[in-house]
Amino acid sequence: MSGFFDKVADFGMRYETLLSIIGGIWLAASWAVYARFVSLPDIPFLTDQTAIFLSSGYNAFWWGFLRPKIEKRKAAHRVQNGVEGEQKHD
């Protein structure tokens, strides 16, 4: 089972910024549609309460589970390569 999580963590590391942006936009959009700040036609799983649960679950998984694992993995990689405390500027 850890092999699966390693693959998910590798994918998360590769697309970390994109996944963070998608999660934030999805959460804000689902809450705005549900609160009727944004008017959309009734689309199942997009404009109902299910969208809030799915986007909240996604963000809980991303920010609460996967993102900390990615940060630990990055820190371990930096220590292994001997660049602890040193920051690279792109």
Side-chain angles (χ1 to χ4, degrees):
M1 188 69 136
S2 68
F4 171 75
F5 288 119
D6 287 339
K7 289 180 182 180
V8 171
D10 289 340
F11 179 81
M13 283 178 68
R14 193 172 311 125
Y15 300 107
E16 182 176 3
T17 303
L18 178 65
L19 292 172
S20 297
I21 292 169
I22 287 172
I25 291 172
W26 187 18
L27 185 68
S30 65
W31 277 101
V33 169
Y34 185 75
R36 304 288 184 218
F37 294 137
V38 177
S39 180
L40 291 177
D42 287 334
I43 303 169
F45 300 109
L46 181 61
T47 60
D48 57 0
Q49 197 171 17
T50 307
I52 293 173
F53 293 139
L54 291 175
S55 64
S56 297
Y58 171 84
N59 278 290
F61 177 74
W62 174 249
W63 293 106
F65 177 73
L66 192 57
R67 184 97 159 96
K69 298 275 186 200
I70 290 170
E71 291 301 319
K72 285 181 186 175
R73 194 176 256 218
K74 283 182 178 179
H77 187 266
R78 283 193 299 265
V79 168
Q80 185 179 25
N81 291 334
V83 291
E84 184 61 35
E86 182 181 319
Q87 293 186 0
K88 289 186 177 181
H89 297 287
D90 295 327

